[in-house]
C-alpha cells in the first residue's frame, strides 16, 4: 500500500500521511482514527500495537493488561 493510496482511503492529504509515517509530526486523534479505519485496525493497535492498554489505580503511565 502506497502513502498516496493510504491517504486516499483515509481521506487525508498525502503530506499528513507521510509526516505521520516518518514521525515528523504527531497525528491528531482524527487522523489516527482515519488511518486505523483505512488500515482495518483499531486506533489502539495503531498507536500501541495492542488494544489492551489502560490506566490503572491512578497510575500516570500505561500498563499492559494480561
Amino acid at each position: 500500500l502506497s502513502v498516496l493510496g493510504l491517504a486516499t482511503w483515509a481521506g487525508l492529504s498525502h503530506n499528513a500521511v507521510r509526516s505521520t509515517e516518518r514521525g515528523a509530526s504527531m497525528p491528531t486523534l482524527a487522523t489516527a482514527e482515519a488511518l486505523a479505519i483505512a488500515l482495518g485496525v483499531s486506533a489502539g493497535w495503531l498507536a500501541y500495537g495492542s488494544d489492551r492498554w489502560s490506566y490503572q489505580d491512578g497510575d500516570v503511565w500505561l500498563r499492559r493488561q494480561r
Side-chain angles (χ1 to χ4, degrees):
L1 179 63
S2 69
V3 170
L4 184 56
L6 178 56
T8 300
W9 282 10
L12 300 169
S13 72
H14 176 261
N15 288 334
V17 174
R18 186 192 312 216
S19 294
T20 300
E21 180 183 42
R22 289 188 328 209
S25 67
M26 180 67 74
T28 64
L29 290 176
T31 298
E33 184 176 11
L35 289 170
I37 291 168
L39 292 168
V41 299
S42 71
W45 184 87
L46 188 62
Y48 302 110
S50 173
D51 287 329
R52 296 169 36 178
W53 292 80
S54 68
Y55 287 99
Q56 289 187 355
D57 305 322
D59 290 341
V60 295
W61 51 278
L62 294 171
R63 184 183 331 179
R64 187 174 190 152
Q65 298 292 309
R66 294 182 186 202

